[in-house]
């Protein structure tokens, strides 16, 4: 530090002014139509859903029986399939609407697609497959390859049904099987059923007036049109855009990653922004195989997973193996908490400390914009005025820099969104910007009905529909077993660990539980496994003793899918929580549950 730096006054944060600014920015974005502002990708837009990656293969309908059917060929299905195969249950059929395994990583092949969680913990079954991640934060092609590798290693391809959508699932009480029908005229049975369709798999479009009238080229980021743009998912330049004026609508996590590639390639790139993302440092780096060999002793990935979870969603460990934006965020909060004098410790004091660390972090992220973006007004418009967990935090080392490219312009809409789309362009504040192509980085359906997103309902015991059972909120044991739906497993984080910063950890752990339960059923000669009503009720009662949803989902936040676009969440939202003692504690608990061999809460028959 120079003497001059030393002398510089430390500007205290004006928290009240920041709160007022945050509130004003939220208020100007609140809109009465909430989720209804988005339109379904259907009708004239249905072509946007076509699979650009894999040709459709005709096949005969399936009318047979399998031991385990799993809906969804993303991480959830793959890790459940892998754990089942490891447990000797090999008759597993995965049903997937895409043309291959991968789920979100099958569809999202836009340039620059990359994971924000470190690959050492994000990519499942690294130790089992022997794959050494190439980078600290893996790019999409490597993650897709890992999905395919899991599929091959565990022979999950042989029985999989791709380009197939489940239409109906009905429990057959007389035979203890699920009857499964699909859009490919399949009608087969399965003793056990898994569902892991993921939270963000149905693309949505902004309901901008005139959107259907655009006569140029258009597509959604989750079906990237490389025929039009040139380039490829591995990062080859988008060579066909050199004479194109391109609009991208949306500035969420997806846009943050593809904008730098577009900025380099387009004659002109117009980035239409409603709300800026917070964009922190990425600091990606290759993984050195020698270093990897030195740490990859038996059980390494489980140790890393536990260490990350403890640092991110637990009390903190002595060492931080992963050292990423998520563990940094949690460490800062913990350190702030430690500054509270013991006699002043209270929930309010803890929330205030959390808020202080958030203000500091967001100020740092806003200053980063000033230090990178040359044009002062653009820099001002790129600053995020909300708490960091109000929207998906982003990390990137080329996004803000892209606005220094002469080709690239930020068209900020001051929170209002694009006003209109015409036959030839995009209108904001009465000004029309003619473009050749519109890329919709407008995200995925979240607040819509579960059955609308999946395209099916489950009909369980006595004709009970899952949509009825959950009509006023989700009910389960461990997020996995649901009363009235025997032999079915719901693979997702809610009502379990609820570890959102590393979703695959939840899924791999559930895979282990599924394999343990199915193996136990087979050992006992049982054909039916169901959670008891008492166990489900007790679990829900336990979940409701927790602190509930914290920052994510807060009505104080600027609207987005985290908080139901700023609208009331409904009474069911209180059930969208995890184990009250936190994710680390949950993983310890469920491990004990499995190892105890008692299968408490389940009835086998
Ligand atoms: P998002 O839903 O996060 O973003 C949609 C964007 O479209 C927002 O910026 C939204 O603005 C904007 N928008 C919507 N309507 C309009 C309108 N009328 N005019 C202008 N802009 C509009 O979708 P993404 O695909 O970016 O990300 C979805 C999720 O996928 C992420 O939150 C993340 O969970 C995951 N993801 C993860 C990645 C990773 O791990 N690295 C990478 C990419 C995605 P507003 O904010 O105002 O609503």
């Amino acid at each position: 530090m120079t003497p001059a730096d030393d002398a510089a006054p430390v500007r205290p944060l004006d928290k009240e002014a920041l709160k007022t600014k945050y509130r004003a920015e939220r208020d100007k974005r609140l809109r009465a139509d909430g989720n209804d502002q988005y339109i379904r990708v259907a009708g004239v837009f249905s072509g946007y859903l076509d699979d650009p990656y894999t040709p459709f293969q005709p096949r005969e309908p399936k009318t047979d029986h399998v031991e385990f059917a799993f809906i969804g060929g993303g991480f959830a299905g793959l890790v459940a399939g892998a754990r089942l195969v490891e447990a000797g249950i090999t008759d597993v059929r995965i049903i997937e609407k895409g043309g291959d395994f991968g789920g979100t990583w099958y569809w999202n092949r836009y340039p620059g697609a990359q994971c924000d969680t470190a690959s050492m913990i994000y990519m499942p079954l690294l130790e089992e497959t022997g794959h050494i991640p190439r980078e600290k934060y893996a790019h999409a092609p490597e993650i897709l390859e890992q999905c395919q590798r899991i599929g091959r290693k565990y022979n999950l391809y042989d029985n999989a049904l791709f380009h197939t959508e489940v239409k109906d699932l009905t429990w057959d009480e007389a035979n203890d099987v699920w009857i499964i029908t699909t859009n490919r005229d399949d009608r087969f049975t399965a003793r056990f059923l898994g569902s892991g369709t993921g939270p963000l798999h149905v693309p949505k479009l902004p309901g901008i007036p005139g959107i259907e009238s655009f006569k140029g080229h258009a597509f959604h980021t989750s079906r990237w049109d490389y025929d039009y743009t040139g380039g490829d998912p591995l990062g080859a330049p988008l060579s066909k855009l050199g004479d194109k004026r391109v609009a991208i609508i949306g500035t969420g996590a997806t846009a943050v990653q593809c904008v730098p590639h577009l900025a380099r390639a387009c004659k002109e790139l117009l980035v239409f922004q409603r709300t800026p993302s917070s964009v922190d440092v990425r600091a990606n780096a290759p993984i050195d195989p020698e270093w990897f060999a030195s740490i990859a002793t038996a059980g390494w990935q489980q140790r890393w997973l536990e260490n990350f979870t403890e640092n991110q969603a637990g009390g903190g460990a002595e060492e931080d193996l992963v050292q990423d934006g998520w563990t940094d965020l949690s460490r800062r909060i913990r350190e702030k908490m430690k500054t509270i004098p013991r006699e002043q410790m209270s929930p309010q004091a803890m929330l205030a400390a959390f808020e202080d660390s958030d203000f500091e972090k967001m100020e740092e992220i806003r200053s980063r914009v000033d230090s990178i973006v040359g044009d002062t007004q653009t820099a001002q418009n790129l600053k995020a005025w909300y708490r960091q967990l109000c929207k998906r935090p982003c990390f990137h080392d080329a996004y803000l820099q892209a606005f220094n490219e002469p080709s690239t312009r930020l068209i900020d809409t001051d929170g209002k969104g694009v006003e209109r789309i015409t036959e030839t362009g995009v209108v904001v504040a009465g000004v029309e910007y003619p473009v050749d192509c519109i890329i919709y980085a407008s995200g995925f359906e979240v607040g819509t009905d579960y059955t609308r997103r999946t395209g099916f309902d489950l009909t369980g015991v006595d004709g009970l529909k899952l949509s009825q059972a959950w009509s006023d909120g989700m009910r389960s044991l461990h997020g996995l077993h649901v009363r009235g739906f025997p032999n079915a497993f719901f693979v997702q984080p809610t009502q379990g660990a609820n570890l959102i910063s590393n979703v695959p950890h939840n899924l791999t752990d559930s895979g282990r539980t599924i394999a343990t339960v199915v193996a136990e059923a087979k050992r006992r000669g049982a054909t039916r496994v169901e959670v008891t009503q008492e166990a489900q009720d007790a679990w829900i009662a336990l979940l409701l003793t927790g602190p509930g949803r914290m920052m994510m989902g807060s009505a104080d936040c600027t609207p987005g899918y985290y908080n139901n676009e700023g609208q009331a969440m409904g009474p069911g939202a209180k059930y969208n929580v995890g184990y009250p003692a936190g994710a680390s504690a949950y993983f310890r608990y469920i491990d004990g549950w499995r190892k105890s061999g008692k299968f408490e809460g389940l009835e086998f028959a």
Side-chain angles (χ1 to χ4, degrees):
M1 204 179 242
T2 63
D5 287 338
D6 209 9
V10 180
R11 192 166 53 92
L13 285 176
D14 185 343
K15 292 178 202 160
E16 284 316 308
L18 281 172
K19 282 187 201 174
T20 306
K21 172 77 173 158
Y22 285 10
R23 217 170 296 124
E25 292 292 330
R26 177 202 63 179
D27 289 351
K28 74 179 169 199
R29 289 174 172 82
L30 283 173
R31 36 192 292 171
D33 52 0
N35 281 308
D36 293 340
Q37 68 180 281
Y38 289 100
I39 50 177
R40 218 177 162 172
V41 185
V44 290
F45 301 111
S46 51
Y48 284 37
L49 290 179
D50 290 349
D51 180 350
Y53 314 122
T54 313
F56 185 86
Q57 299 288 345
R59 64 167 174 81
E60 291 301 310
K62 295 283 181 189
T63 53
D64 53 357
H65 173 80
V66 293
E67 186 69 14
F68 203 108
F70 199 100
I71 308 162
F75 282 166
L78 288 166
V79 295
R83 294 295 183 224
L84 284 161
V85 170
E86 282 171 350
I89 299 131
T90 54
D91 185 17
V92 178
R93 172 173 292 157
I94 294 179
I95 308 139
E96 164 57 45
K97 73 177 169 184
D100 196 346
F101 291 131
T104 200
W105 299 105
Y106 176 82
W107 294 111
N108 287 286
R109 302 187 190 197
Y110 57 83
Q114 184 182 15
C115 184
D116 275 340
T117 301
S119 46
M120 298 281 282
I121 53 162
Y122 182 80
M123 287 164 75
L125 310 187
L126 284 174
E127 205 168 342
E128 289 84 343
T129 55
H131 178 65
I132 305 174
R134 293 196 276 272
E135 301 174 279
K136 177 159 184 178
Y137 302 97
H139 279 81
E142 186 183 352
I143 307 175
L144 178 58
E145 272 171 30
Q146 176 65 2
C147 293
Q148 293 162 336
R149 192 174 292 115
I150 296 170
R152 284 194 305 273
K153 177 174 167 80
Y154 293 95
N155 289 329
L156 298 171
Y157 275 101
D158 293 351
N159 214 356
L161 302 180
F162 295 117
H163 281 151
T164 302
E165 291 181 46
V166 168
K167 284 288 148 214
D168 190 57
L169 292 158
T170 302
W171 174 246
D172 175 353
E173 185 73 39
N175 297 300
D176 287 349
V177 290
W178 284 94
I179 304 168
I180 300 162
T181 58
T182 76
N183 67 339
R184 301 284 297 265
D185 294 332
D186 305 302
R187 186 183 166 85
F188 59 92
T189 55
R191 172 75 69 217
F192 296 97
L193 178 74
S195 173
T197 50
L200 298 163
H201 61 104
V202 180
K204 68 183 190 223
L205 291 170
I208 300 167
I211 184 171
E212 68 296 333
S213 66
F214 183 62
K215 293 239 173 1
H217 197 72
F219 57 91
H220 187 274
T221 49
S222 67
R223 306 286 189 278
W224 194 271
D225 189 348
Y226 284 102
D227 283 345
Y228 180 84
T229 63
D232 63 30
L234 294 167
L238 306 172
S239 54
K240 296 185 183 171
L241 295 180
D243 59 350
K244 301 278 187 297
R245 240 170 107 91
V246 175
I248 182 162
I249 298 184
T251 50
T254 297
V256 164
Q257 295 183 333
C258 61
V259 158
H261 293 258
L262 290 166
R264 280 196 287 276
C266 297
K267 178 176 151 208
E268 204 174 335
L269 174 67
L270 304 173
V271 182
F272 290 88
Q273 172 181 273
R274 188 165 69 179
T275 309
S277 281
S278 71
V279 187
D280 206 352
V281 175
R282 166 74 305 156
N284 197 15
I287 287 183
D288 172 7
E290 261 181 52
W291 167 83
F292 181 84
S294 73
I295 64 103
T297 51
W300 75 264
Q301 197 174 26
Q302 187 61 27
R303 283 197 300 279
W304 274 61
L305 284 167
E306 288 171 12
N307 180 265
F308 174 80
T309 308
E310 188 56 32
N311 280 312
Q312 210 282 302
E318 273 194 7
E319 200 181 359
D320 179 358
L321 294 171
V322 175
Q323 296 193 34
D324 69 351
W326 303 111
T327 56
D328 173 64
L329 191 148
S330 302
R331 185 182 45 74
R332 281 164 171 270
I333 296 169
R334 276 197 303 275
E335 278 170 7
K336 220 14 146 195
M337 302 267 183
K338 282 190 204 145
T339 64
I340 306 171
R342 189 181 287 264
E343 64 285 1
Q344 287 171 25
M345 189 59 88
S346 68
Q348 288 81 354
M350 287 165 74
L351 285 174
F354 178 19
E355 188 173 56
D356 281 357
S357 91
D358 201 294
F359 282 139
E360 285 165 16
K361 183 75 212 175
M362 289 304 284
E363 281 291 282
E364 195 183 299
I365 291 174
R366 287 188 284 266
S367 320
R368 183 169 184 253
V369 181
D370 284 328
S371 68
I372 293 173
V373 178
D375 178 67
T376 316
Q377 187 58 53
T378 305
Q380 195 54 27
N381 290 340
L382 283 166
K383 290 180 187 169
W385 297 102
Y386 45 79
R387 290 184 63 172
Q388 195 182 15
L389 294 181
C390 278
K391 290 215 165 230
R392 172 61 147 73
C394 297
F395 307 89
H396 212 282
D397 294 339
Y399 175 71
L400 296 169
Q401 289 81 345
F403 294 93
N404 295 333
E405 296 274 351
S407 62
T408 305
R409 264 166 82 192
L410 180 72
I411 313 293
D412 182 58
T413 65
D414 192 25
K416 296 183 188 69
V418 168
E419 188 176 304
R420 205 154 32 88
I421 292 178
T422 65
E423 286 187 8
T424 50
V426 180
V427 180
V428 169
V431 177
E432 179 172 2
Y433 299 85
V435 291
D436 301 300
C437 173
I438 300 179
I439 301 173
Y440 293 104
S442 46
F444 302 86
E445 291 192 17
V446 175
T448 51
D449 283 346
Y450 165 76
T451 50
R452 164 171 155 168
R453 290 201 302 280
T454 56
F456 60 81
D457 206 348
L458 275 82
T459 308
V461 175
D462 294 333
L464 177 70
K465 301 265 187 207
L466 185 66
S467 55
Q468 292 166 340
W470 285 357
S471 59
D472 65 347
M474 178 178 173
R475 305 288 199 286
S476 77
L477 172 69
H478 306 157
L480 199 58
H481 319 272
V482 180
R483 178 73 181 166
F485 299 86
N487 294 8
F489 302 90
F490 299 86
V491 184
Q492 47 76 51
T494 310
Q495 297 192 356
N498 212 24
L499 180 67
I500 304 304
S501 50
N502 189 18
V503 171
H505 190 176
N506 306 265
L507 310 180
T508 4
D509 196 77
S510 293
R512 208 168 263 145
T513 305
I514 292 172
T516 311
V517 171
V518 174
E520 178 69 7
K522 291 185 83 68
R523 196 184 65 78
R524 295 187 191 194
T527 54
R528 193 181 197 281
V529 186
E530 190 179 3
V531 56
T532 65
Q533 190 65 52
E534 297 71 37
Q536 181 169 289
D537 291 347
W539 185 251
I540 295 297
L542 173 72
L543 294 178
L544 295 181
T545 62
R549 293 158 75 93
M550 297 279 281
M551 205 59 242
M552 283 173 75
S554 164
D556 295 333
C557 283
T558 185
Y561 79 83
Y562 276 12
N563 70 348
N564 198 30
E565 300 297 336
Q567 305 231 309
M569 294 274 206
K574 69 173 183 234
Y575 300 103
N576 297 338
V577 291
Y579 191 59
S584 275
Y586 175 79
F587 289 126
R588 283 192 294 273
Y589 156 80
I590 197 71
D591 199 41
W593 183 92
R594 281 190 298 260
K595 286 187 176 141
S596 75
K598 294 186 190 146
F599 298 92
E600 256 171 271
L602 299 186
E603 294 176 320
F604 291 79

